[in-house]
Amino acid sequence: MSVEAIIEPSDYVAPDTFNQFLADLKARARQTKSPIISPRMFCLALGMDVQTLASRAHVHRVTVNRAQGAEKLQTYLRDAVRVMGAAADINGNFQDAAFWFRNEPISAFNFRTPEQLVREGRAEDLLNYVQSLHAGAAG
């Protein structure tokens, strides 16, 4: 299904590639004429409910539905997308990057998952970590 045809994010099925995920988010932003990341599409892509996203972003659940452009929420979404993009750069697969983001503990960060680290505001530390892994694999 083309993202241009998506009327409601509830129709969304996450793609295999990160680039397509970004394209889907951009298409949704164009469709709604609002340059923000759709929290509902993000939730659907990561198998997350609205309450969980609200908790991770440190906002009230009503914010996710009624104030989607709230800075705190959008900062969390941007950081999460950046981290998953860096992870997808290593293997190219969005589904693997999303699974890693939500579930895989990292020993260098006291076995916290990337999702927990982004929640704690440590996206930059995590990006540096992922970049060091990528550099090690590349050279």
Side-chain angles (χ1 to χ4, degrees):
M1 170 188 308
S2 165
V3 143
E4 299 299 338
I6 293 174
I7 295 169
E8 288 298 318
S10 60
D11 296 336
Y12 186 65
V13 176
D16 289 330
T17 68
F18 180 76
N19 287 337
Q20 185 58 54
F21 176 62
L22 271 184
D24 293 349
L25 290 174
K26 288 177 188 175
R28 180 67 183 166
R30 279 192 304 275
Q31 185 180 42
T32 60
K33 298 182 182 347
S34 180
I36 62 171
I37 296 171
S38 168
R40 291 191 32 98
M41 284 181 70
F42 181 88
C43 285
L44 289 166
L46 272 74
M48 180 185 292
D49 61 32
V50 170
Q51 182 64 43
T52 300
L53 175 59
S55 171
R56 301 294 186 268
H58 304 288
V59 298
H60 192 276
R61 63 182 163 75
V62 173
T63 302
V64 176
N65 291 319
R66 295 192 182 153
Q68 296 179 9
E71 187 58 30
K72 208 172 197 183
L73 174 60
Q74 287 296 310
T75 296
Y76 176 83
L77 293 170
R78 282 191 300 269
D79 286 347
V81 168
R82 288 173 49 219
V83 166
M84 285 187 291
D89 279 348
I90 293 175
N91 70 10
N93 186 294
F94 173 72
Q95 298 294 334
D96 288 346
F99 183 89
W100 170 81
F101 178 77
R102 297 235 36 218
N103 299 294
E104 292 190 30
I106 301 172
S107 61
F109 292 101
N110 294 321
F111 297 95
R112 287 186 182 87
T113 65
E115 183 178 42
Q116 290 169 319
L117 293 167
V118 171
R119 178 184 186 185
E120 295 169 4
R122 298 190 62 195
E124 291 302 322
D125 295 336
L126 189 53
L127 285 168
N128 290 334
Y129 172 78
V130 171
Q131 288 172 340
S132 72
L133 291 178
H134 188 64

